[in-house]
Amino acid sequence: MYKNTHAATHSSCLPFTTLITLFAIIFLGSAGFFITIPAYVSLFLTDHSLQIAQNMPIEERRTLFGTVMSAAPFISMFFTPFIARFADRFSRKLIISLCLIVAAIGFIMPVYAIVIGSVALLFAGNMINSLGSASQPIAQAILADNSQGKTKATLMSLVAVVMTAAMSFGPALGSKLTEIYGPQAPFYACLLIAISCLLLLNKVKLPAQQASKQENPLSFIEPIARTQPGFIACLAIVFICQFSWSLYFQNISFILPQKWDIAVESHFYQYFMMAIGVVMITSLLLLPRLILAYMNLQQALRVVTLLAALGMVMLAITSTPTTHVIAMIFTAVMVAISFPFYITALSNRASDIDQGWAMALSSAMVGLAWTLTGYLTAVLVNIQLILPTVIAAFGYLLAMLLVPKPASKNDLVTQSKETTHAQS
């Protein structure tokens, strides 16, 4: 009874200023982690380390750095679905505002921690900021809840563009800020973004939100009961695709030096990593809507996951850096455009009042995948250098097999319907 009650059938009813605000919030959710990485490296692993860290052996400092970097995604993964449930139950705008305030506090605390040389306060600030990042899936839910068909897939593509930009260019920005202004600068930059998002959010009016006022927001029983068949399969696809891509992405740092003696400090490595970001962003901007003009969502998801698996096989067997780059470009395109397809498929199987919860679960699956592969990649490389990439190929094949049947007319959107709506 909650599904597909919007007046708009295949388009977004969100004005441009609202879209900009939501995408800025989504960017902050990722950038808050990636922009600050160089600052943490400087504080723990270089000659500019905090005084308390300088007194530790380098092995302990590396362990401390790894703990800080992994604990934040883990906390976000655990608490975000519950925070999103409160947003779905009460007010998404209110909860996003609170998350932005919490994130701002989480960026202020490290600044003060650096001044007084407190590792504990620095750690606490990172944990608090991770809770504030729950604003990202809630903003994503507003986009999903106010669009359908190919327009929803397009918006999810732009979500992926924003997140990829944060992942690709955030560390470079943080590195430059740290170099010029010191390790406090990335936190100030993120604080400025958080405050700007909060001001923008309070100047826009979000569409009316459906909500069930009789539910316990800490319970997942009701939203699970409202999902359409295939929701769990789509959630598994999110995890498997992210797990598979992360396996290869982290395998790069082992493949290039050990297979072709290409150092991670080399220009080749730097350009290679930048090329991944550029290829993925370009693909997300140009291809998903075009593909959906010729096939439905289910078909598109099956085709791109199959081709992603093929790309991983190519990456595993390439014998030269040049052929590896060519295989990477093809694979990165398929990996990128699969994201809006499986996120849209997941969204289509959740009710309108549970979009925040659904997007938060997908965010948790992404966090879990990248957290697990950080350790597993190193273990698998010790067995065989290309084993992580081979497993990634099987992962995408499994994802293709798990693609469920269409759950609704949103999965069967056609070019004619979209064209008719646009002309009207």
Side-chain angles (χ1 to χ4, degrees):
M1 62 180 293
Y2 293 106
K3 191 68 184 174
N4 300 329
T5 55
H6 299 302
T9 56
H10 288 293
S11 63
S12 170
C13 60
L14 297 172
F16 181 75
T17 53
T18 302
L19 291 173
I20 293 297
T21 300
L22 294 174
F23 283 122
I25 292 169
I26 292 169
F27 176 80
L28 175 65
S30 296
F33 177 78
F34 289 106
I35 290 178
T36 58
I37 287 178
Y40 285 110
V41 171
S42 176
L43 291 169
F44 288 113
L45 304 179
T46 71
D47 294 337
H48 305 290
S49 298
L50 292 173
Q51 187 64 41
I52 190 172
Q54 288 178 343
N55 296 328
M56 300 178 181
I58 186 62
E59 292 80 10
E60 291 185 16
R61 288 157 63 182
R62 288 170 179 165
T63 300
L64 186 60
F65 173 78
T67 301
V68 172
M69 289 294 98
S70 61
F74 179 80
I75 287 180
S76 176
M77 176 183 68
F78 182 81
F79 285 102
T80 294
F82 293 98
I83 296 173
R85 275 286 284 157
F86 275 91
D88 289 340
R89 170 67 172 76
F90 298 106
S91 168
R92 288 174 184 160
K93 185 173 184 178
L94 173 62
I95 300 301
I96 290 178
S97 297
L98 292 176
C99 286
L100 291 173
I101 294 172
V102 169
I105 295 172
F107 294 128
I108 292 173
M109 289 179 66
V111 173
Y112 183 63
I114 295 170
V115 172
I116 65 174
S118 171
V119 173
L121 192 60
L122 191 69
F123 189 89
N126 196 37
M127 299 305 100
I128 291 174
N129 170 51
S130 69
L131 293 176
S133 66
S135 60
Q136 184 183 72
I138 300 173
Q140 190 174 329
I142 297 172
L143 294 172
D145 198 24
N146 291 278
S147 60
Q148 293 185 23
K150 282 185 285 189
T151 299
K152 179 185 285 188
T154 300
L155 291 178
M156 294 304 104
S157 298
L158 294 176
V159 167
V161 167
V162 170
M163 294 170 66
T164 303
M167 178 187 71
S168 301
F169 307 119
L173 174 60
S175 176
K176 195 65 177 178
L177 290 172
T178 302
E179 176 189 357
I180 298 175
Y181 302 107
Q184 293 173 312
F187 298 104
Y188 278 121
C190 292
L191 175 62
L192 179 62
I193 298 174
I195 294 174
S196 300
C197 288
L198 185 61
L199 294 175
L200 286 171
L201 181 64
N202 285 279
K203 286 185 176 295
V204 300
K205 183 178 181 181
L206 300 180
Q209 173 186 338
Q210 299 181 69
S212 175
K213 302 298 183 183
Q214 310 299 323
E215 292 182 4
N216 177 4
L218 296 177
S219 171
F220 289 174
I221 296 176
E222 293 87 353
I224 289 176
R226 284 191 291 266
T227 60
Q228 296 186 40
F231 179 84
I232 299 300
C234 287
L235 198 60
I237 291 171
V238 174
F239 173 78
I240 292 170
C241 287
Q242 288 291 321
F243 183 86
S244 300
W245 169 242
S246 183
L247 277 176
Y248 167 70
F249 190 81
Q250 302 195 56
N251 198 194
I252 294 171
S253 298
F254 297 95
I255 291 175
L256 296 184
Q258 296 184 31
K259 195 171 184 178
W260 296 299
D261 198 26
I262 299 174
V264 294
E265 298 86 5
S266 67
H267 290 301
F268 183 96
Y269 177 84
Q270 295 167 7
Y271 290 136
F272 186 87
M273 300 302 287
M274 290 178 60
I276 290 177
V278 171
V279 168
M280 297 184 83
I281 290 173
T282 304
S283 303
L284 287 162
L285 289 173
L286 300 178
L287 296 180
R289 195 178 185 92
L290 177 63
I291 292 173
L292 290 179
Y294 296 95
M295 60 184 72
N296 64 48
L297 183 63
Q298 177 197 22
Q299 294 169 334
L301 184 52
R302 283 180 173 167
V303 169
V304 297
T305 48
L306 175 60
L307 292 177
L310 177 61
M312 288 296 175
V313 172
M314 294 166 56
L315 287 167
I317 64 176
T318 50
S319 57
T320 67
T322 301
T323 54
H324 195 85
V325 170
I326 295 172
M328 179 277 292
I329 293 173
F330 173 80
T331 308
V333 170
M334 297 305 137
V335 168
I337 60 179
S338 68
F339 180 90
F341 295 156
Y342 57 68
I343 292 296
T344 301
L346 180 72
S347 172
N348 287 347
R349 285 161 176 77
S351 71
D352 288 343
I353 66 172
D354 299 318
Q355 289 296 310
W357 170 77
M359 294 300 102
L361 286 180
S362 71
S363 178
M365 291 300 100
V366 173
L368 178 61
W370 283 78
T371 300
L372 290 176
T373 52
Y375 172 77
L376 286 175
T377 302
V379 174
L380 294 171
V381 165
N382 287 334
I383 301 173
Q384 171 55 244
L385 179 62
I386 63 170
L387 184 57
T389 305
V390 172
I391 293 176
F394 281 105
Y396 277 105
L397 282 176
L398 177 59
M400 181 197 68
L401 296 175
L402 288 176
V403 175
K405 296 180 179 180
S408 67
K409 63 182 180 181
N410 290 325
D411 285 345
L412 296 169
V413 60
T414 61
Q415 172 65 21
S416 61
K417 290 182 179 180
E418 189 79 9
T419 303
T420 302
H421 179 75
Q423 293 175 343
S424 63

